[in-house]
Every structure is written in structure tokens, then in C-alpha cells.
Amino acid sequence: MTKAYLALESRFRRMNILADIGGMLHWDMATMMPDGAAESRSEQLATLDVMSNELIKDAALKDLLAEAEGENLSDWQRANLNEMKREWVHGNAVPGDLVEAISRASTACEVAWRTARAENDFAGLLPKLQTVLDLSIEAGTAKAEALGCSVYDALLDQYDPSMSCAKIDTLFADLEAFLPDFTASVIDRQKTEAPAHSPKGPFPIETQKAIGLELMKAVGFDFDHGRLDISHHPFCGGTADDVRLTTRYNEADFTSAIMGVLHETGHAMYELGLPADWRLQPVGKARGMSMHESQSLLVEMQASRSQEFLTYAAPLFKKAFNGEGAAWEAENLYRLYTRVEPGLIRVDADEVTYPSHVILRYRLERALIEGDMKLADLPAAWNDMMQSLLGITPPNDADGCLQDIHWPSGAWGYFPTYTMGAMAAAQLFAAARNAVPGLMDNLAQGDFAPLMIWLRANVHGKGSSATTDEILQAATGAPLQTKAFITHLQTRYGS
């Protein structure tokens, strides 16, 4: 008998439906919602969060979890029960009034951030951002007590279960030992090579969108279960059955938007490939954001910036924009997409300098959460660390500490998952190339199907039935490590 377990499935299904509704409201807030609706949207999202919190705190849930532990469950049911327990610990650690306060504050701050970034106004955003930070620390402290870990580790656990500062510090130390000299050598070498020439615009937005849609189709995106829109900050949201992608366009440069679309399509393919039999159950969700970022970076960085894929894509770009000359050839586009140059904006960074952007944010948010730095000092600290890590200083806060949506929206502890995702992407892509004969030849034809079939079997279809390291161990023969990522950088950029 699995009476208690089945009762839990019913309850968690309800919670996840509420989460899906919230996901659609967040997508609308970022893409369609008029500014005047911000207050009512805050009320709607806060109400959903309170309802979900009330469900997870139902007194009967604790007894059902204990009773289900002794029932005869399948492996997937057992894994689902374990994920239910983890969500129960997180949900019960934080008081309901704090959940509501965080929801209201983060929604208001996210809306205010759009204006603050456009107007380069950190001081104007500071009071709202301070409230979000204070509430996040309060929630993190409560979760840390329940989980028996540090406040930062408790916040990180929301995005990447089983990850910790200790492991991140070890991984990042490997990168920091390798990247400075390697980056300098790549930049020096590229100065001696034929320069990459940027195709001349303007590049109409509608044409950029049409190319993006065509490439989404090539990757395998199902347009019966999702769509592409525009937002201030590119993201993938919605639900596993209705995936909403966004990007942003620049008529002077089409390359950024196209790679942004491919990046978000990688996220979308993960969502669409999650185990359908476990939809709306904890075990049916993606296995944390490091794995999620691995899927976006695998599609964008590993596959779509390869020479093989650009051999396929270059003629599409040239035809769509009526391009002429050597700038539109695949060889030049490859040089353009693999050019290494320190820049101000994380989402536009090349894959050699990108980890430094993440390390900066990881250090700063840890200092803020652990009380080692005041939020008012963030702009100066940001600029100093940019100079230290990348050798450049932002001319303003809009291109500095105001560029990301994460902190205003309450996503403290998220940033490390980007670089851990890059490491996992390199491991998985190397394993896929070894396992799938002719994979790169397929990409040269714009055919992602063999790659996606392998990912469905080894990553997407696993959901949250195992930890990040367990999934990587089974798929690649090793837990998360820097080796494959460093090898990838050396192979692509070292000569």
C-alpha cells in the first residue's frame, strides 16, 4: 500500500500548479505587463506564494512524509519522496509572513530595477534592494538553522541542492589558477591573427527574430509548447508544457541576440524533455540551476559556437541580411564568436572571461550576505573587483552593479550556477561526442537531433531523480570538475 505517498503526490501536484501559475505571471510581468499594473501583480504573486506556503505547512504533511517512508515505493517514488522532504524543510523553515514580505518586496524591486538601470540610478534603487537583501538574509538564516549549514549555503541550496561554498571555492580556485595567464596568452595570440570583422548593419529586428525562430526549430524546440518574446533581460520561464523564451535585440549587432536565443533554447529543451510521467511532482523538475545552465551553455557555447555549426549558420545569416563579403563567411564568424576580450556585460562575455564575471558576483553577494560589506558600498566594490579580475572599470552603474536582474528579484545565491553549468556543459558535450558517432557532422548540417536524443536519455529524462554529481557521474564518468572545461578552453582558444 502507498496510501500516504499517493496523498502526498496529490498535495504536491497542487503546489506545483500554483508555482506554474506564478511562472506565467512572472513571464507576463517581464514581457507584456504595463508598469501601472505592478502593484496588483505584486498582490497576485504574494497571494500565490502565501497559498503555497500554507499548503507546505499543512500539519498533516509531516505525518504523511513519515508514514510514506515505510511504504513499498518504486525507485522513482522514493526519489520523489526525498525531494518532497527537501521542499518541506525549505518551506517550513520560513514563516508565512516572511514569505509574503519577500514576494512583495522582490516584485516591487524588480519593477523598480528596470527604471533604475535605464536611468543609471543605484541610489534610487538602494532602499528597495536593501529590503530584498535583508529579507533574503532573514529567510536564509531560518533555512540555515533547519538545514544545519551556513546562510549562503542555505540560499544556494534553493538553486543547486547538494552544492556548497566549500565545493564552489575549490572549483573556482582551479579556474583562478588557470584563467589569468591563459586569458592573457589568448588575447596576445589573437592580436597576431587575422582580425574578426563584424558584419555591417543595420540588422532589422524582425529579421533577427525570424533567424532566431529558424534556429530554435533546428535545435528541436516545439512551438506548440512555447514561444519567443522580448524582455529587458533574456530568460526562459513559463512551465514545462508552455515554455516562454525571451531575448533582446540590437539593430547594430545581430550576433548577441542570436546566441541569446540559442542559449535560452537550451534551457527550454531541458524543460520540454523532463519526464512527462512525473510532471508536477518534485522529482519531475529540473535538477537544479547548475544543470539547467549546463543545458543552455551546451547548446550556445559548446555546439553553436563550434566551427561545424557556424558552417551551417553562416549562409543563413548572409541570406537573411543580404550580406556581402568575407565578414559573412563561416571562418570569420567563428573568429568573431571566439574572440576573447574583457567586457563590462556578463551576458555578452566570451566563455574565457565569463567565469570572472561570475566569481565577482559570488564574492560580492557572499560578502553582503555574511555582513562583510554594506550594500551602499556595492558600486565601488564592484568597480574595484572588475578592475582586479578583468582589468576594466565600468563607466557607470548601469553597466556595472545594476546590469543583472537577479539581486533585485531576490535570487541571492544563484550566480555560481552559471560557471558550474559551464563546467558541466563541457563534461556532457565531451561525453556526447564520444558516445554519438558523427555528432559534429550532424551539427554542420544544422541537425541537433542526435545530440538532443543523447541529452534526453542522460540528463533531461532524469529530472531530479539523482543529484547533479550522480547524473554527471553516470553520463560522463566523473562528478562535476574543472578538467573538461579547461580542456575545452585550451582546445578552442589555445591555438
Side-chain angles (χ1 to χ4, degrees), residues 48-95:
L48 284 174
D49 286 342
V50 170
M51 291 171 65
S52 294
N53 190 251
E54 289 172 348
L55 287 173
I56 199 75
K57 286 180 175 171
D58 186 330
L61 213 55
K62 183 177 181 179
D63 291 337
L64 287 171
L65 288 167
E67 187 178 341
E69 187 68 45
E71 293 180 334
N72 185 22
L73 305 178
S74 70
D75 290 344
W76 273 87
Q77 288 174 329
R78 182 68 59 187
N80 196 29
L81 179 61
N82 290 336
E83 290 301 304
M84 290 174 177
K85 291 176 184 176
R86 193 183 71 82
E87 292 189 7
W88 182 85
V89 170
H90 273 277
N92 279 267
V94 183

Side-chain angles (χ1 to χ4, degrees), residues 13-36:
R13 177 183 176 84
R14 220 171 293 136
M15 290 181 225
N16 284 311
I17 289 172
L18 289 176
D20 280 356
I21 295 169
M24 298 308 296
L25 288 175
H26 275 290
W27 167 82
D28 177 76
M29 184 170 71
T31 56
M32 304 289 183
M33 187 190 81
D35 289 343

Side-chain angles (χ1 to χ4, degrees), residues 283-320:
V283 76
K285 297 178 183 178
R287 176 69 295 166
M289 292 313 301
S290 291
M291 193 60 75
H292 229 309
E293 294 299 340
S294 80
Q295 298 310 286
S296 59
L297 292 169
L298 194 154
V299 170
E300 178 203 355
M301 292 294 187
Q302 298 289 327
S304 299
R305 291 180 191 253
S306 68
Q307 289 178 304
E308 290 82 359
F309 176 75
L310 289 171
T311 298
Y312 162 76
L316 298 181
F317 299 157
K318 184 176 182 180
K319 180 179 179 181

Side-chain angles (χ1 to χ4, degrees), residues 149-157 160-173 176 362-363 365-367 369-370 412-414 416 420:
C149 63
S150 71
V151 175
Y152 190 88
D153 280 352
L155 294 172
L156 176 64
D157 191 77
D160 202 333
S162 77
M163 193 53 64
S164 68
C165 288
K167 182 163 187 176
I168 293 171
D169 289 343
T170 299
L171 294 169
F172 283 6
E176 289 183 271
Y362 170 61
R363 288 179 178 172
E365 70 176 2
R366 271 192 73 180
I369 288 164
E370 293 171 359
W412 298 87
Y414 186 106
M420 292 187 291

